[in-house]
Amino acid sequence: MFYPKLKNLKKERIPDYSIDKLDWWLGTRRQNTRKFVNPLQFSLDCNIDINHALKLFSYCTFGQEVKLLRKKYVTLCPICEHRIATNYQEPVKKGIRCNNCETDIPNEYFVDHISIFFELLESPRDYIPDIELESESIIKKAPSLRVSEVMGNTDEDIRRLCPPKKFFDML
């Protein structure tokens, strides 16, 4: 395995197949993409249900025995989609100015323009997987995971990917 600590996901009753896919997918990410890992891209690349992918990422972020990922919030300008801010604890709370298009952005636009990404906290071990995973010849790009999409989810493991409730009370 690229990330042996992923075996701890078995305690959460995650199937071996999902663990192997996640291990392979994370382990084969290029180094320049490991700071902006997208669970929707994992879902698309590996043909995994989106909610299942979000659960896997949640366990890899909050599971004490895994702790392989760190959640980060990226705030994008609603006008030009330029990255305005990147935060680890919670997203930007107050209106800010986009340095790219010089637009002042009020608070009410943030919820739909905050994306959740993950950062790999470890480098993969050198490993050649002994399983063959199917790959598609057509490369597809997944959209970023938006906070507004996760907020309405009824699964507690997925909802914990959102900023704390106090964040939204301040908007």
Side-chain angles (χ1 to χ4, degrees):
M1 290 190 86
F2 289 107
Y3 299 101
K5 60 173 48 178
L6 286 176
K7 289 180 182 178
N8 292 319
L9 291 174
K10 290 180 182 184
K11 295 176 184 173
E12 302 294 339
R13 293 193 263 191
I14 302 294
D16 287 342
Y17 180 77
S18 297
I19 295 169
D20 290 341
K21 281 244 186 185
L22 181 63
D23 179 65
W24 169 81
W25 190 81
L26 290 173
T28 57
R29 298 300 90 203
R30 292 188 319 261
Q31 187 170 357
N32 65 343
T33 64
R34 292 183 190 149
K35 292 190 179 202
F36 289 92
V37 179
N38 182 351
L40 300 183
Q41 189 67 51
F42 167 66
S43 172
L44 182 65
D45 290 348
C46 296
N47 198 24
I48 299 275
D49 176 69
I50 290 173
N51 284 333
H52 186 63
L54 293 175
K55 271 190 172 194
L56 287 169
F57 274 66
S58 178
Y59 289 138
C60 289
T61 303
F62 299 106
Q64 293 302 315
E65 295 177 358
V66 180
K67 284 281 189 190
L68 184 60
L69 300 171
R70 177 167 61 163
K71 174 178 62 167
K72 66 164 62 171
Y73 300 104
V74 176
T75 305
L76 303 173
C77 174
I79 306 301
C80 68
E81 292 292 313
H82 180 74
R83 183 173 30 180
I84 299 171
T86 301
N87 302 71
Y88 290 99
Q89 300 304 318
E90 56 186 50
V92 174
K93 294 180 198 167
K94 58 187 181 342
I96 55 178
R97 184 176 190 85
C98 175
N99 292 333
N100 189 50
C101 67
E102 302 203 1
T103 302
D104 289 320
I105 303 157
N107 295 356
E108 58 267 14
Y109 289 106
F110 283 154
V111 175
D112 289 331
H113 293 87
I114 299 171
S115 296
I116 303 171
F117 287 96
F118 295 84
E119 183 175 325
L120 269 164
L121 298 175
E122 298 177 12
S123 294
R125 289 183 11 194
D126 290 333
Y127 174 74
I128 299 172
D130 56 354
I131 59 169
E132 277 191 39
L133 298 170
E134 66 273 357
S135 62
E136 291 191 22
S137 58
I138 299 173
I139 297 174
K140 300 175 186 170
K141 175 101 170 84
S144 59
L145 176 63
R146 301 291 177 143
V147 168
S148 57
E149 295 168 348
V150 178
M151 285 173 45
N153 200 301
T154 57
D155 189 309
E156 196 60 38
D157 288 324
I158 295 172
R159 271 200 330 223
R160 66 182 173 178
L161 297 174
C162 278
K165 184 178 178 332
K166 67 179 181 173
F167 168 78
F168 295 104
D169 294 339
M170 300 174 92
L171 291 179

